């Protein structure tokens, strides 16, 4: 056994010949699906007028999507162990395509909301499916580069959603946000049925715990709903349910859910195995991913409000401001992954977190007279910084886990991303509403306060970045004792 340093050469282990096709199919499918998570954000004002609904009602098209994702994603860990990749893919794309068709044909708000919920059911399992498949098919030495591609799906698609929506609404009806997506989804579906084959893809018929399912649904739905209500009303209950009620219910259910999983782990029957948190790299990386997603989703919400309500620009301009950063983030993902494969997470996450912090500080210094190009530059810096964080953090988190925990680790990470998105939105909108001098409506004072809060979170990310590992994660790490 060699005791010297490992020398990387060009003769690295090669992935199975079909792996590239399988990953490409899943990445493309997931990108189309995740895009819909934020595609409605710019369209809400149009829908309020066209469907004759209140702003609070229209917000459910986004909140309902996030809520459904939060309920279904925790189930994906068990589902991925019970059913094959092909079966999960078929069900996910069927639901997503069906939901898209329902939304496109919706005669009114109830049908449109139903379509969004069906879409979310399909979307929820796709990212855990993609992550788990990568960890199974791609050798450890090449995972960073592949996870860099996945970061395009997870982070760029939500950022590009408002841009695409703004472009479509500039000349077409809101229904075209679904009609344009539907044929692309069907094409991905057909390609998957033709080529998606994962060798040795065994199914494990472990019984699903009947107690864990409702506890999971109540816990994650309560937290996301409570955070959405908190953000939607600036911390006030309005005419709806007070935000603290679902937050308390969700927290209690979460504690009960966690206790139940620890009990089931002793007999290898956990619905969502929490063992990944005993791996230090996983815990640190997931914590930083949560902070990053809070900043990302907060910016996705706050920047359009700043552009439209403070600068007085159109929805199209609001959408286009995120396009350069989104595209550059997508291009940076694979490159960042290759750097991670050679040098590990810390060399990327530290400068990436600093870029995120500086961009958020720049947002906090903006005024009603700030040129739009300054906003675009700051947005681009933030997106590149997030690209330098997300790819190494996700790779480091999952790469340290043993094979049996891949599906559960990816489910945990994706679930917490949804909770982080809701938390970031709630935090920044609440701060904005409380600091606003216009009775809670978006204005410069409120936007400034929200970005100051974001900069503080960015500072926490910089500190946490120094606790990331200095070398790429080996397969199957060591738990924290």
């Amino acid at each position: 056994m060699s005791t010297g340093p490992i020398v990387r050469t060009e003769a690295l282990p090669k992935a199975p010949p079909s792996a590239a096709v399988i990953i490409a199919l899943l990445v493309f499918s997931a990108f189309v699906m995740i895009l819909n998570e934020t595609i409605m954000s710019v369209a809400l004002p149009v829908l309020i007028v066209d469907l004759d609904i209140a702003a609070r009602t229209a917000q459910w098209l986004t909140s309902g999507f996030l809520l459904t994702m939060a309920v279904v994603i925790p189930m994906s860990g068990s589902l991925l162990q019970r059913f094959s990749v092909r079966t999960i893919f078929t069900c996910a794309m069927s639901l997503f395509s069906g939901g898209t068709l329902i939304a496109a044909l919706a005669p009114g708000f109830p049908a449109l909301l139903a379509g969004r919920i069906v879409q979310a059911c399909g979307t929820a399992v796709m990212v855990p499916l993609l992550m788990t498949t990568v960890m199974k098919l791609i050798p450890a030495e090449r995972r960073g580069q592949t996870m860099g591609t996945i970061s395009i799906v997870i982070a760029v698609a939500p950022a590009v959603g408002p841009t695409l929506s703004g472009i479509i609404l500039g000349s077409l009806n809101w229904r075209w946000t679904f009609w344009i997506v539907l044929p692309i989804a069907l094409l991905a579906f057909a390609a998957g049925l033709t080529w998606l084959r994962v060798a040795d893809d065994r199914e494990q018929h472990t019984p699903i715990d009947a107690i864990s399912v409702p506890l999971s649904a109540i816990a994650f739905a309560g937290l996301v709903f409570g955070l959405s209500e908190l953000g939607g009303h600036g911390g006030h209950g309005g005419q709806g349910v007070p935000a603290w009620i679902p937050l308390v219910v969700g927290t209690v259910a979460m504690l009960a859910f966690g206790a139940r999983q620890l009990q089931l782990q002793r007999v290898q029957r956990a619905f969502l195995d929490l063992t990944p948190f005993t791996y230090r790299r996983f815990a640190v990386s997931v914590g930083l991913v949560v902070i990053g997603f809070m900043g990302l989703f907060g910016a996705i919400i706050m920047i359009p409000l700043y552009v439209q309500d403070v600068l007085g620009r159109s929805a199209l301009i609001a959408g286009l401001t995120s396009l350069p950063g989104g595209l550059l983030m997508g291009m940076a993902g694979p490159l960042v992954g290759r750097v991670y494969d050679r040098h590990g997470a810390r060399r990327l996450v530290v400068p990436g977190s600093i870029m995120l912090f500086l961009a958020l500080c720049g947002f906090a210094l903006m005024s009603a007279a700030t040129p739009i190009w300054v906003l675009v530059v700051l947005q681009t810096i933030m997106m590149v910084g997030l690209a330098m964080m997300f790819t190494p953090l996700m790779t480091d988190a999952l790469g340290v886990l043993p094979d049996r925990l891949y599906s559960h680790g990816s489910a945990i990470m994706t679930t917490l991303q949804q909770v982080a998105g809701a938390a970031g939105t709630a935090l920044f909108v609440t701060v904005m509403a409380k600091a606003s001098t216009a009775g809670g409506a978006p204005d410069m004072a409120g936007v400034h306060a929200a970005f100051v809060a974001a900069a503080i979170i960015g500072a926490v990310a910089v500190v946490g970045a120094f606790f990331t590992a200095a070398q790429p994660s080996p397969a199957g790490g060591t738990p924290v004792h």
Side-chain angles (χ1 to χ4, degrees), residues 354-380:
I354 293 173
M355 291 176 68
L356 172 64
F357 172 65
L358 292 177
L360 293 173
C361 288
F363 287 142
L365 295 174
M366 293 188 304
S367 70
T370 300
I372 199 75
W373 66 265
V374 174
L375 174 63
V376 173
V377 170
L378 291 173
Q379 173 91 337
T380 302

Side-chain angles (χ1 to χ4, degrees), residues 183-419:
I184 301 174
L186 292 175
L187 178 63
F189 192 7
L193 292 178
T194 303
W195 291 305
L196 188 58
R197 297 285 189 279
V198 178
D200 202 25
D201 189 20
R202 299 186 179 94
E203 302 177 17
Q204 300 177 17
H205 297 287
T206 304
I208 294 180
D209 180 52
I211 298 176
S212 296
V213 174
L215 281 177
S216 170
I218 295 171
F220 292 106
L223 290 174
V224 172
F225 177 65
L227 290 168
S228 298
E229 287 293 285
L230 191 67
H233 303 291
H236 302 289
Q239 296 179 352
V241 177
W244 66 267
I245 294 179
L247 285 173
V248 170
V249 172
T251 301
V252 172
M254 179 67 73
L255 294 174
F257 176 77
R260 179 65 176 172
Q261 302 320 297
L262 294 176
Q263 180 184 16
L264 293 174
Q265 282 171 202
R266 301 190 187 106
V267 291
Q268 302 295 316
R269 287 184 52 202
F271 176 73
L272 183 63
D273 199 321
L274 303 180
T275 304
F277 283 113
T278 64
Y279 292 79
R280 180 182 178 277
R281 286 192 181 205
F282 181 89
V284 171
S285 296
V286 167
L288 286 170
V289 167
V290 165
I291 293 174
F293 265 81
M294 287 181 68
L296 174 62
F297 274 78
I300 288 174
I301 293 295
M302 295 307 303
I303 288 177
L305 291 175
Y306 170 75
V307 173
Q308 294 179 77
D309 293 301
V310 177
L311 299 184
R313 302 299 184 92
S314 67
L316 176 60
I317 296 297
L320 288 174
T321 56
S322 65
L323 184 59
L327 293 176
L328 195 56
M329 185 182 196
M331 291 187 289
L335 175 61
V336 169
R338 285 195 291 270
V339 175
Y340 168 82
D341 286 336
R342 291 172 173 81
H343 302 293
R346 189 179 299 167
R347 293 191 187 184
L348 289 162
V349 177
V350 170
S353 64
I354 293 173
M355 291 176 68
L356 172 64
F357 172 65
L358 292 177
L360 293 173
C361 288
F363 287 142
L365 295 174
M366 293 188 304
S367 70
T370 300
I372 199 75
W373 66 265
V374 174
L375 174 63
V376 173
V377 170
L378 291 173
Q379 173 91 337
T380 302
I381 293 173
M382 182 187 74
M383 297 300 276
V384 173
L386 288 172
M388 295 175 67
M389 293 176 64
F390 286 151
T391 296
L393 289 172
M394 292 176 184
T395 310
D396 220 48
L398 295 179
V400 76
L401 302 179
D403 292 2
R404 66 180 180 84
L405 292 177
Y406 285 158
S407 61
H408 291 283
S410 61
I412 290 170
M413 183 179 294
T414 312
T415 300
L416 291 180
Q417 287 166 12
Q418 297 303 312
V419 175

Side-chain angles (χ1 to χ4, degrees), residues 75-97:
M75 302 180 185
S76 63
S78 293
L79 293 175
L80 290 172
Q81 291 189 331
R82 288 174 61 84
F83 302 103
S84 67
V85 168
R86 182 180 174 84
T87 300
I88 295 289
F89 176 85
T90 301
C91 292
M93 290 306 298
S94 297
L95 288 168
F96 180 78
S97 300

